Amino acid sequence: MRITQGSQVTLRCRVMDDAGALLDDGHKPFTFVCGKGQTIVGLERVLEGKECGYRGAFDVAPEDAYGIHRPELVFEAVRENLPEGMEIHPGMNLSPGGGEGRFHLKVVALTERGALLDGNHPLAGKRLSFEVEVINVESTNANA
């Protein structure tokens, strides 16, 4: 069976960033439904039309992965707008909405007035290198 929109795909996927850092060793299989936004668009595009047993290596540009790094998402938050009573330090992540939010803000640095925050995905702006093996493809009988 070929991978199409709505197919449930299971693969082993080794992923490295553009600096050569290993992000996922591919040891644990990864399953997603093609066309449902459960993985990056660039991975789906390459895999569409492939079959179980496909092995390949390819790169995915930032635009088709986690997006380009957007400087406007790096900003200073004044202390009054940061969580009350929390010790803030560089490298930590904050979740707007008390952890129920759908995004995280990374604390880049402390400033005189508060903290410099970055709302970009940690992999934004990075080209990702994949080595994949498709180990299963199933129909979900669902419309994409």
Side-chain angles (χ1 to χ4, degrees):
M1 173 178 190
R2 292 194 182 278
I3 298 171
T4 60
Q5 296 289 303
S7 296
Q8 180 172 293
V9 181
T10 302
L11 50 87
R12 292 194 190 281
C13 189
R14 180 179 159 98
V15 186
M16 295 190 309
D17 69 12
D18 50 8
L22 184 64
L23 304 174
D24 190 333
D25 65 7
H27 180 70
K28 182 179 178 188
F30 169 61
T31 300
F32 67 95
V33 177
C34 190
K36 294 291 186 182
Q38 297 173 350
T39 190
I40 61 171
V41 172
L43 180 61
E44 286 189 349
R45 280 192 191 136
V46 171
L47 294 178
E48 197 161 356
K50 306 295 191 272
E51 297 178 309
C52 185
Y54 168 79
R55 289 176 183 244
F58 51 87
D59 289 345
V60 174
E63 298 82 0
D64 292 329
Y66 294 96
I68 60 170
H69 186 271
R70 296 174 44 197
E72 69 271 19
L73 295 180
V74 180
F75 60 95
E76 182 179 23
V78 295
R79 185 67 185 135
E80 294 79 32
N81 292 333
L82 295 170
E84 192 175 329
M86 180 183 283
E87 187 176 330
I88 307 287
H89 57 86
M92 75 183 295
N93 288 313
L94 301 175
S95 297
E100 307 262 334
R102 294 184 50 100
F103 66 96
H104 298 279
L105 298 168
K106 182 174 184 176
V107 178
V108 177
L110 299 180
T111 66
E112 284 186 27
R113 300 180 341 146
L116 186 64
L117 305 177
D118 186 348
N120 286 285
H121 186 282
L123 297 175
K126 295 185 182 280
R127 174 174 294 277
L128 302 178
S129 296
F130 289 83
E131 294 174 13
V132 301
E133 176 188 7
V134 177
I135 56 178
N136 194 36
V137 179
E138 296 179 19
S139 174
T140 60
N141 294 323
N143 295 327

